[in-house]
Amino acid sequence: MGRPMSEPRPGDIEAVVARYVSEHATYEKIAQLVGSEVQGLLDAGAMKCRIDHRAKDVRSFHKKIVDKAYSDPWEQITDKAGVRVIVEAPRDVDDACRIIASGLGERVIRCEDKRHIGSPDRLGYSGVHLQVSLVLDGAVRECEIQMRTASQDLWSVMSHRWLYKPVVELPDEMQHAAYRLGALVEIFDEEVQRLADREREARADPVQQLIAIAESAYLTVAHSPSDRSVSRWFVEPLLPAFTDEELSQYGDLMDAFVLSERETLRILFAEYGPHGALAYLPQFLLFGQAESVLLLERLSSHPRRLLSCWRDAGLPMPYLQALADAAAIDLPD
């Protein structure tokens, strides 16, 4: 029985594999260069990710030629050099793709979105691939960039082992079990995205921003956690004590305050803070909370504005008075 006309003969396969063996180190270098370039682009875009790079294993290259029966395997196998970008949430895949495509510009040859549902009764590989070019030693080479979530990456590894490239053919019920894992991956990523969206919303909340800044400063002087629900009760009504400009740069303002007053703050929290001898006294409750550093900064920079907001909100005056007295700050009339 004759071989299909499009299928390469064994001699052709051996020649292509031999060529790849001779150029394997070159493709390792291509993968490394593209990986470094991608890392730089995503770092500049403040994208949290993990990046791996590799040249395709020679055995995998050989097996792919045989399995796919390529008519022109050297040209048709386009993942000889590969970079993998692993991100946290599904939407991060799109963000990473946009950043990389924008940075590489015309060097992007094509984009393949494998998240498209081709068959509603099947679960398969999910991710986005960018094929890009790189000039090395005067020749144009290609590299495949794969972008996917951590759970998609895990599913890809497992599905290749049990479904795509199994050592033995699994019975139908075991293949079904493997695909059920794929369903769990989709559900997992949906929940991760919901959490990521909620976190972004929280970061856009000025109260949460102030509490986060206060917590970072508080840890450096009090070395203790605090209750965020209590912090919100105090901080939310005090937003008018900050101008929009101050809110936009409050991290820098707090850093400058802590730097200039570090010794004073150290002494205050050693005496009145959560580990201090007077921590048990009710009037010093605020010293056990992160917002104490924020209040001390406002008492030092804009005491009238802070006091006005405090009174308007009906917050307990003894707490603020105790904080001011301990810091030797006179409250305005």
Side-chain angles (χ1 to χ4, degrees):
M1 187 173 180
R3 298 171 62 84
M5 291 297 293
S6 62
E7 187 174 341
R9 292 185 293 272
D12 298 332
I13 294 174
E14 290 172 4
V16 172
V17 172
R19 178 181 175 183
Y20 186 61
V21 169
S22 69
E23 296 188 31
H24 191 264
T26 298
Y27 282 99
E28 284 278 12
K29 186 175 182 180
I30 292 168
Q32 180 182 6
L33 290 171
V34 174
S36 297
E37 194 170 8
V38 167
Q39 183 76 69
L41 290 171
L42 295 178
D43 284 348
M47 172 69 68
K48 291 182 180 179
C49 63
R50 185 181 83 247
I51 295 179
D52 302 321
H53 65 271
R54 60 97 184 105
K56 196 173 192 67
D57 177 74
V58 173
R59 184 177 179 278
S60 295
F61 180 84
H62 190 170
K63 189 173 187 298
K64 191 168 187 177
I65 297 175
V66 176
D67 289 344
K68 299 292 187 180
Y70 288 131
S71 59
D72 187 357
W74 186 261
E75 293 298 328
Q76 289 173 280
I77 297 179
T78 57
D79 62 343
K80 295 186 280 292
V83 172
R84 184 175 301 161
V85 179
I86 310 299
V87 297
E88 293 181 349
R91 202 168 295 133
D92 293 339
V93 172
D94 296 303
D95 292 340
C97 184
R98 174 181 50 79
I99 291 170
I100 295 170
S102 176
L104 297 184
E106 294 181 354
R107 289 170 52 196
V108 176
I109 299 169
R110 64 180 175 274
C111 175
E112 186 178 5
D113 191 338
K114 293 178 175 287
R115 298 168 299 181
H116 173 69
I117 300 174
S119 176
D121 61 343
R122 299 287 283 179
L123 291 163
Y125 172 81
S126 194
V128 176
H129 292 186
L130 283 180
Q131 195 72 17
V132 303
S133 65
L134 174 76
V135 176
L136 183 64
D137 299 329
V140 178
R141 310 278 188 157
E142 291 187 19
C143 180
E144 181 183 84
I145 303 172
Q146 301 177 354
M147 287 156 286
R148 53 204 191 201
T149 67
S151 61
Q152 288 169 351
D153 185 55
L154 179 61
W155 163 245
S156 175
V157 172
M158 294 305 168
S159 62
H160 268 63
R161 175 180 173 182
W162 290 325
L163 299 173
Y164 179 54
K165 297 179 180 178
V167 175
V168 295
E169 190 70 25
L170 293 175
D172 289 347
E173 66 270 18
M174 295 308 296
Q175 290 190 42
H176 178 69
Y179 279 115
R180 286 175 65 199
L181 292 176
L184 290 176
V185 166
E186 291 188 3
I187 294 170
F188 180 85
D189 270 349
E190 285 179 2
E191 294 306 304
V192 168
Q193 188 61 63
R194 285 207 312 141
L195 290 169
D197 290 343
R198 183 66 188 91
E199 183 184 34
R200 288 191 181 97
E201 291 173 7
R203 286 181 177 175
D205 178 4
V207 175
Q208 291 288 358
Q209 292 174 9
L210 286 174
I211 291 173
I213 291 168
E215 285 178 345
S216 294
Y218 183 71
L219 285 173
T220 67
V221 293
H223 310 290
S224 178
S226 66
D227 188 326
R228 283 196 173 186
S229 62
V230 175
S231 294
R232 188 166 193 99
W233 189 76
F234 278 107
V235 173
E236 188 164 16
L238 298 179
L239 272 181
F242 301 84
T243 65
D244 290 343
E245 183 179 0
E246 288 170 340
L247 285 173
S248 68
Q249 56 185 349
Y250 196 66
D252 293 336
L253 291 175
M254 179 58 77
D255 288 343
F257 172 71
V258 172
L259 183 63
S260 65
E261 302 293 336
R262 181 169 296 278
E263 184 59 22
T264 299
L265 293 172
R266 187 191 66 79
I267 294 171
L268 277 175
F269 284 98
E271 186 170 359
Y272 302 102
H275 305 299
L278 301 177
Y280 69 95
L281 295 175
Q283 64 266 36
F284 298 125
L285 172 143
L286 280 173
F287 279 101
Q289 285 290 123
E291 61 271 21
S292 58
V293 186
L294 182 150
L295 293 170
L296 288 168
E297 186 280 323
R298 291 287 91 180
L299 283 172
S300 299
S301 60
H302 299 286
R304 291 188 182 278
R305 198 191 304 165
L306 175 65
L307 183 59
S308 176
C309 290
W310 191 278
R311 286 172 172 164
D312 289 346
L315 294 172
M317 198 63 207
Y319 290 152
L320 186 63
Q321 187 67 61
L323 196 73
D325 289 345
I329 297 174
D330 292 328
L331 291 177
D333 296 330

